[in-house]
Amino acid sequence: MIKSDDTGKLILRLTLGILILLHGLAKLTGGGVGGISGMLSSHGLPGFLAYGVYVGEIIAPVLLIIGVYTRLGGLIIAINMVVAILLAHAGQIGSMTNNGGWALELQGMFLFAGLAIAFMGAGRFSLAGNGGRWN
């Protein structure tokens, strides 16, 4: 089998970027950030912080997909997922599904894939290539 770390990085970047972007587009076209704003307010946080969801679910995934400021994009996604887990899924952190899986499998996968990209970078199959501190 051919070994290519850069191909693996590309697959990981595209997978995470596309899946998170779909979440962001649903919020952008569906109902906005009203529900998230209400949730933030119920936790004593200002509602305008809900617009950070667009940064974490629209801008950061686009950075991953095109391969520019990829490490930053991965870090933003990871932070976005930590906030989502703490605010919306805190009661499920120790829960299992009926099938024996962790109740937060999807959120956990997004969080740790974002961290992996933040540590590994984009690879050479990206718009910015291997170079640069944030790629």
Side-chain angles (χ1 to χ4, degrees):
M1 182 164 183
I2 299 171
K3 179 182 181 260
S4 174
D5 292 346
D6 291 317
T7 303
K9 290 174 184 180
L10 173 66
I11 292 168
L12 182 60
R13 277 187 15 246
L14 291 178
T15 301
L16 180 61
I18 291 167
L19 292 176
I20 292 282
L21 182 61
L22 292 173
H23 279 272
L25 292 175
K27 286 179 182 81
L28 190 63
T29 60
V33 293
I36 296 167
S37 178
M39 184 185 342
L40 288 168
S41 296
S42 73
H43 285 88
L45 298 168
F48 74 86
L49 292 177
Y51 289 97
V53 168
Y54 291 140
V55 174
E57 295 185 9
I58 302 285
I59 296 171
V62 169
L63 294 176
L64 264 59
I65 291 166
I66 64 175
V68 174
Y69 292 107
T70 306
R71 290 177 189 265
L72 179 62
L75 184 61
I76 290 170
I77 289 172
I79 292 168
N80 189 61
M81 292 314 303
V82 167
V83 172
I85 289 169
L86 292 176
L87 292 179
H89 304 285
Q92 298 173 298
I93 290 175
S95 300
M96 303 290 281
T97 66
N98 292 335
N99 299 332
W102 184 33
L104 299 179
E105 285 176 346
L106 180 64
Q107 294 85 355
M109 185 63 72
F110 287 167
L111 166 62
F112 292 110
L115 282 176
I117 291 169
F119 283 112
M120 292 187 309
R124 67 184 170 114
F125 301 128
S126 63
L127 198 58
N130 275 333
R133 176 179 177 179
W134 289 102
N135 214 40

